[in-house]
Each structure stands twice: as structure tokens, then as C-alpha cells.
Amino acid sequence: MYRMLSEWMDSSRMWVTEQVTFERAVNAVGLELERKGMVDSSFTQIVLDQETIIPSGVSDVAVPVAVIDVPLSISKKDGISLLHLLNPCEVKTITGETIQAEAVLLITATNEPKKQAYHKLIDDLLMDDEALQALVHVQSRTGLFHLKSNFLEAFSY
């Protein structure tokens, strides 16, 4: 089975930032997510606190990324958001390793079944090197539209 990128990646949930630190990038995207009614106003503080306990960095993939699992209690809308980092940011992994993340994927789910479904989509993406590289290197909503119109697929078995 496979899932098309267009099934879950919405260009209105994509941002590009030049912030130079992970904290500043999270703050910037937090303001956008809050403005669009996707998360509670406590997003930035909760995510940064969570990061000290459960680091979001993923290193064993084609392109180092961070995957932030936003707590259900502060998520207001379901979806996956992409923050493209023009300046890769230092992020820790669960093993304590430091990576230079090139993008941040944010999972916002309002219930556990949705959260599990989004985790499956992210897992599929992380296992498909070509799809992950293409998505991470998108630097505009037009670029995302181009990927979607060319039927970029993330495979799942």
C-alpha cells in the first residue's frame, strides 16, 4: 500500500523560516499555528519543555529532521505541518546525539486515533529517502504544489 503526499500535506500548513536556533524556529511557527487556530497559546512553552524530556531529532534518515508530537491537550486542529529551516538548527535525538535538522514536522491531533494515523504517515515518509529529501528541500508553497502535482509518493507496507 502507498500513500500519496497530497493525502496529508497541505500547503497552508507549511512555513519557511530563517531562524537560526530551534527555540526561535519553534517560537515562530508557534505564532503561525496559534494565529490559524491550530494550537493553544501555550504551544511554544510546552513544546520547548517537552523537548528537554523527549527530544524530537531523527538522525537515521536521508535528511536529519525533527518530528514534534504536539500534546493532544494543546492541539485544536488535526494535521501535519512542515517548517522548512533555511538555516539547519541543532536538535537532540532520543539517544542524546546532536543533529542539524533541516526541517520540522509537527503533528497536531485532537484524539489518540488521529495521532496514531499521523505517526504512521510520518513513519512512511521517514522510510522513503527520496520522498523525504524532496519534501525537506521544498522552500515554497509553489514547490509543494509541484511535488504534489507530480504524484510524489511515500510508501507503506
Side-chain angles (χ1 to χ4, degrees), residues 113-141:
K114 271 287 192 201
K115 181 178 176 178
Q116 295 307 317
Y118 289 140
H119 275 278
K120 177 69 176 135
L121 290 170
I122 294 291
D123 289 346
D124 292 348
L125 175 66
L126 295 177
M127 291 189 315
D128 184 333
D129 292 350
E130 186 178 326
L132 180 61
Q133 287 174 344
L135 183 60
V136 166
H137 291 99
V138 169
Q139 295 187 24
S140 69
R141 291 189 172 115

Side-chain angles (χ1 to χ4, degrees), residues 19-152:
Q19 298 298 331
V20 294
T21 66
F22 181 75
E23 182 177 324
R24 291 179 70 179
V26 167
N27 191 44
V29 77
L31 292 172
E32 287 297 318
L33 290 170
E34 183 183 348
R35 186 179 62 79
K36 288 193 170 202
M38 296 177 190
V39 297
D40 187 82
S41 61
S42 60
F43 169 85
T44 301
Q45 190 58 50
I46 288 175
V47 166
L48 292 175
D49 289 347
Q50 174 180 287
E51 192 69 20
T52 63
I53 301 164
I54 309 168
S56 60
V58 181
S59 61
D60 295 336
V61 292
V63 180
V65 296
V67 178
I68 296 176
D69 192 8
V70 179
L72 298 174
S73 61
I74 62 170
S75 296
K76 293 182 176 181
K77 290 186 182 176
D78 297 320
I80 298 173
S81 300
L82 171 68
L83 178 61
H84 177 84
L85 303 169
L86 293 178
N87 299 309
C89 293
E90 190 173 284
V91 181
K92 294 265 188 213
T93 66
I94 199 76
T95 62
E97 174 185 6
T98 299
I99 63 167
Q100 293 293 319
E102 295 184 27
V104 179
L105 292 157
L106 299 114
I107 300 170
T108 53
T110 55
N111 60 54
E112 196 60 38
K114 271 287 192 201
K115 181 178 176 178
Q116 295 307 317
Y118 289 140
H119 275 278
K120 177 69 176 135
L121 290 170
I122 294 291
D123 289 346
D124 292 348
L125 175 66
L126 295 177
M127 291 189 315
D128 184 333
D129 292 350
E130 186 178 326
L132 180 61
Q133 287 174 344
L135 183 60
V136 166
H137 291 99
V138 169
Q139 295 187 24
S140 69
R141 291 189 172 115
T142 303
L144 182 60
F145 175 79
H146 174 72
L147 287 182
K148 289 167 70 169
S149 65
N150 284 303
F151 306 108
L152 180 67

